[in-house]
Amino acid sequence: MAAKYADVAGTARADLSARKLPLKDSPELRQALAEGEIHTVLMTYVHLSGDEAMLDKFVPHIKSPYAYPPEQIPVELVEELKDKLLHVLTTPGAEMDEEPSDGLMHRMMSVGLAEEVADEFLPLLFDQIGLRPEQPRRERKDRKPAPAGFKVLVIGAGMTGLAAGVKLAEAGYDWEIVEKNEEIGGTWWENRYPGVGVDTPSHFYSFSFALNSEWQNYHPLGTDMFAYLKRVADDFKLRPHIRFNTMVEKLAWDEGEAVWNVTVRKKDGTIEVIRANAVINGNGSFSRMKWPSIPGLESFEGARLHTAAWDPSIDLKGKRVGVIGTGASAAQLIPAIAGDVSELHVFQRSRHWVMPSVAGNDEVTEGVKYAMRHIPHYAEWFRFRIYWYAADGLYPNVLLDPEWPEDSPSVSAVNETMRQFAVGYIDKMFADRPDLKEKLTPDFPVFSKRIILDRGLYFPTYLQRHVHLEQTPIEKATATGVVLKDGREIELDVLVCATGFDAANMLGNLEIVGIGGKHLRSEWGTEDPRAYFGMLVPGFPNYFHTSGPNSAPNHAAGQNLISERQVNYAIECIDWINAEEKKALQPTQPAFDAWQTKVETQMDKMIWSHPRAYSYYNNSKKRNFLSWPWRLVDFWNECRGPRKEDFELL
């Protein structure tokens, strides 16, 4: 399967701006218009034609996807739009000579969403939907060129590491990526369990500088995601700069030289020290799998697996299989293996809210892929709509309404509407199974922990006679299975732990020694990481910890945006160092402390502070160490560059 998707992804273009008009009037083009998402078709037509009157015709009919009664656009208006777009696409000179004005683009956005898009979002949207790519740093006249010999070391060749490689190359820096695995991809190389996929929509979960027209599903399979990242690495010629099968073990700051001495261990066990002026750690929070604390787990004599370290040689056909956990990985794995096993016991440790995929069976049709490949601006406007409804459009759900009852299972009227939608899905799927309804309905607010996406496969799996959902906690594991706290013993051939990752231990086994022999482990311990703006810590100059404390977009999709913007921020900091002819920077202690206070103050206003909210976002003391408590647009703006008053240059 991996080879299949790798071949497909290889045909995708990193730059879709090469799409040109006119197109040939063909069955493929007409199929694309027939299958195209209608709001995106409207945006594409107005972008190409400047025909603002068509927006006026659609205004009375476009509604929010959460509105009732649901949106109904007259068939004759849809056909008129498609005919007009076909004319523009196939007639020489029919499109506008110039790009739409900012004012028209702004109105298009608001009409297409049936809500006003505030001015503050426009710079982010122009950047992230790919309509106005940023100018490469090497070409910027306001920037001092990167000095020769200033080396940046990047840890990890996952999404953030690859983004760092692309942007450091554009900036003209000497750079290198160190990757512990034999291939790029990070999470999407390591996780290979059956059904592995991504909850974030495909056409947004990609780089703004490398839009992909070849997604097979609206939410990518793991192999699909890996193929995309592999193509990015190849298209941007990153591989010659990556050391594979190499583990970073220690960073030690040399105060005299103002460089990091980076100790790495190669696959053959040999040690090397790399000297770097700055380090961008792109290791991520989901690279350290977490086993459950179950007495006797190692005594189980059957096959014992973790979803993050899947062994494809183990045949599950006809086996009695137990799955511990009902989170995102389990929800993908369970329907993927249910048809093969003789008995499937799912051990639910906590409940999760489950939402149906609005994309139905989730497959991208050939017509839509044709539109993405060939119709100018279609891919960008499709990405815009996904951003709004999968990202900051969801932010009101995670804000606490101070007037809302504290004992409610929701935090606001908006959040309650979403809860009712999720409850309705449970009621629909288990209308004849009140026992499953009770087991699967959470008592905490929607969005207070990660939501599960159901592509129409997960919930129905529990209706199969050989699938058993167990709520009773596991007392212990034995050689032949598990014993529950009510005394029941369940015999198993295979035990799968879908128990996630040790996200709180953000350093893993990495040792970091800063100024004066200060150890970052002493600052963070194993579960209490804190950083200025989620990336920097006083005493550890030129060390940028991406996907760090309180930088995760837990209200929405958007890790791709976080990765891009953290890389942008790190390079802006490095550019500033070199423009001032200094060697390093670090945040001041007052700035660091003020940031912690700012985060904690805002967190009190968020859903994650609800008394029933508990998830891997929290450490054992219930402090949310992971979530970014503001919008993605706020993160995008903060990452424009460093607040110079918050830093000390060395």
Side-chain angles (χ1 to χ4, degrees), residues 551 562 565-566 628 631-639:
S551 66
I562 298 294
R565 294 306 287 176
Q566 287 188 323
W628 171 257
R631 303 167 301 172
L632 289 183
V633 67
D634 300 315
F635 194 93
W636 191 90
N637 285 324
E638 289 280 358
C639 283

Side-chain angles (χ1 to χ4, degrees), residues 16 177 277:
L16 297 181
I177 298 175
N277 300 86

Side-chain angles (χ1 to χ4, degrees), residues 323-351:
V323 176
I324 300 174
T326 51
S329 298
Q332 295 167 358
L333 172 74
I334 289 166
I337 66 174
D340 291 333
V341 306
S342 62
E343 293 289 329
L344 180 58
H345 293 268
V346 179
F347 302 101
Q348 179 175 260
R349 301 190 301 170
S350 62
R351 300 170 184 177

Side-chain angles (χ1 to χ4, degrees), residues 47-48 96-100:
H47 189 125
L48 293 172
M96 288 198 304
D97 292 333
E98 299 179 354
E99 286 290 297

Side-chain angles (χ1 to χ4, degrees), residues 489-512:
E489 184 168 0
I490 298 175
E491 294 187 348
L492 300 169
D493 302 306
V494 180
L495 184 58
V496 180
C497 297
T499 48
F501 302 88
D502 188 5
N505 182 13
M506 289 190 172
L507 294 178
N509 295 321
L510 180 60
E511 182 182 3
I512 304 180

Side-chain angles (χ1 to χ4, degrees), residues 411-469:
V411 298
S412 67
V414 171
N415 188 247
E416 175 62 19
T417 299
M418 191 65 75
R419 192 183 77 86
Q420 291 296 336
F421 177 76
V423 169
Y425 183 54
I426 296 173
D427 289 343
K428 175 184 175 182
M429 298 305 298
F430 303 110
D432 300 323
R433 291 292 302 274
D435 59 318
L436 287 175
K437 250 199 252 189
E438 189 282 325
K439 288 181 178 180
L440 291 166
T441 303
D443 64 353
F444 51 81
V446 179
F447 288 104
S448 61
K449 67 191 298 184
R450 183 174 176 178
I451 287 175
I452 305 301
L453 179 75
D454 188 358
R455 308 182 195 197
L457 300 174
Y458 176 54
F459 268 179
T461 303
Y462 289 117
L463 297 174
Q464 299 180 39
R465 295 183 64 180
H466 71 298
V467 178
H468 315 284
L469 179 60

Side-chain angles (χ1 to χ4, degrees), residues 400 599-606 609:
L400 288 172
V599 169
E600 290 168 9
T601 300
Q602 181 65 19
M603 201 65 74
D604 288 340
K605 305 173 185 177
M606 309 304 295
S609 297

Side-chain angles (χ1 to χ4, degrees), residues 467-478:
V467 178
H468 315 284
L469 179 60
E470 304 285 356
Q471 269 191 313
T472 304
I474 296 174
E475 176 75 25
K476 64 180 180 178
T478 67

